[in-house]
């Protein structure tokens, strides 16, 4: 069930401007023409590619009368392509001292009419979507839609006859939770049993703001809020919190091995969830239940609604810093590892795997 990862770089070879010519039939008097060339590149890992079915380019420019929509172009690809296979797209833009560019890949069909009618960058920022619209009955991304991905860059100043190059990162608009099972200790045996072993994730949510800025583009997490773009859901009502359960369809067991390359840790299941900030009282934080997990040849073990409250983040120097688990952020994979030994089951490590750079978070949770 684990989806392949991708860190997509959007290279905007931007922007070639030139004056209107009488030879051009669609003249725009008193406006400056420009070409916006967008190229998509991946990180070179063929196992981390996503297919792209559609791309939308939205450009807002600052004018004396205020911010106005300059470009809103939706391109459907005849066949799904990976980032490196998509030809550069050329867009006409006008000169401005404060341009905002939004790139959307694989937009949900439920949002297409709304995106077609966007006229204000404030309306775009406030747009909501339900991630269940992009999931099939098995909880996986619908292939005909693909993984929605978004990039935002702002503050671009373009004068007539100027050429610029802008690098953009586009990121997935969802988060994912992976649950792993690991055998530890000499001789420990674990695994899963068809129709019995189950994993339940509590306090999932599906509602999210659609468009969000990116740290890599300088449009998120700035102390100066005027440089940021986007919103994150807070104080999600209890009625909107969900549970989802995976039950093993096949059976497998494995024993701990110290041999080089031994696969003591294996993926059980994955869940997609929306980006949001948790409440301060822990009442809506993620929790995990596991049932009928084999612990040896004849015994089973499990846990019930273990809430993930406190995490210890390890910095680039290897120093741990304890902090609350405060949010689910898009474009992150939250990996929860349950370890089974001779005594019982423990969840000792939660790692946050960004679809770009990796960050490690350790969670001590004795069960």
């Amino acid at each position: 069930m684990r989806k392949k990862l991708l860190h997509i770089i959007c290279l905007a070879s931007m922007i070639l401007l030139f004056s209107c010519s009488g030879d051009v039939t669609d003249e725009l008097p008193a406006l400056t023409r420009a070409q916006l060339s967008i190229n998509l590149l991946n990180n070179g890992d063929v196992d981390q590619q996503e297919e792209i079915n559609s791309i939308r380019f939205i450009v807002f420019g600052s004018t004396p009368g205020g911010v106005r929509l300059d470009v809103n172009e939706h391109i459907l690809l005849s066949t799904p392509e990976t980032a490196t296979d998509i030809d550069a797209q050329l867009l006409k833009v006008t000169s401005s001292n404060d341009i905002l560019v939004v790139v959307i890949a694989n937009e949900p069909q439920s949002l297409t009419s709304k995106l077609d009618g966007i006229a204000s960058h404030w309306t775009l920022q406030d747009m909501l979507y339900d991630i269940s619209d992009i999931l099939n009955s098995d909880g996986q991304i619908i292939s005909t839609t693909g993984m929605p991905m978004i990039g935002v860059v702002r503050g671009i100043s373009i004068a007539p006859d100027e050429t610029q190059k802008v690098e953009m990162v586009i990121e997935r608009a969802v988060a994912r939770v992976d649950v792993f099972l690991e055998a530890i200790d000499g001789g420990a045996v674990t695994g899963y049993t068809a129709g019995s072993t189950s994993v339940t994730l509590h306090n999932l949510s599906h509602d999210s703001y659609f468009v969000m800025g990116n740290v890599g583009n300088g449009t998120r997490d700035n102390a100066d809020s005027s440089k940021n773009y986007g919103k994150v859901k807070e104080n999600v009502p209890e009625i909107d919190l969900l549970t989802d359960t995976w039950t093993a369809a096949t059976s497998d067991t494995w024993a701990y091995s110290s041999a080089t390359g031994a696969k003591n840790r294996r993926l059980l299941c994955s869940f997609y969830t929306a980006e949001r900030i948790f409440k301060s009282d822990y009442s809506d934080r993620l929790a995990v239940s596991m049932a009928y997990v084999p612990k040896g040849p004849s015994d089973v073990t499990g846990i019930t609604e273990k809430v993930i409250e406190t995490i210890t983040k390890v910095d680039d120097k290897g120093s741990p810093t304890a902090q609350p688990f405060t949010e689910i952020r898009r474009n992150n994979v939250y990996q929860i590892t349950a370890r089974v030994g001779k005594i019982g089951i423990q969840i000792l490590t939660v790692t946050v795997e960004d679809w770009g750079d990796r960050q490690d978070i350790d969670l001590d949770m004795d069960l």
Side-chain angles (χ1 to χ4, degrees), residues 61 84 104 108 112 117 139 164 181 191 196 216 230 247 255 281 292 295 305-306 317 329 334 361:
T84 50
I104 300 171
T112 294
Q164 292 190 25
L181 188 62
S196 297
T247 301
D281 63 1
Y292 298 103
K295 182 183 73 69
E305 285 196 55
K306 189 63 180 180
K317 297 179 181 178
R329 181 170 288 213
Y334 295 83
I361 291 181

Side-chain angles (χ1 to χ4, degrees), residues 257-264:
S257 173
S258 60
T260 302
K263 294 183 178 180
N264 294 310

Side-chain angles (χ1 to χ4, degrees), residues 55 91 175 254 257 270 281 331 334 347:
I55 306 176
L91 306 174
W254 61 93
S257 173
S270 299
D281 63 1
N331 207 54
Y334 295 83
I347 294 181

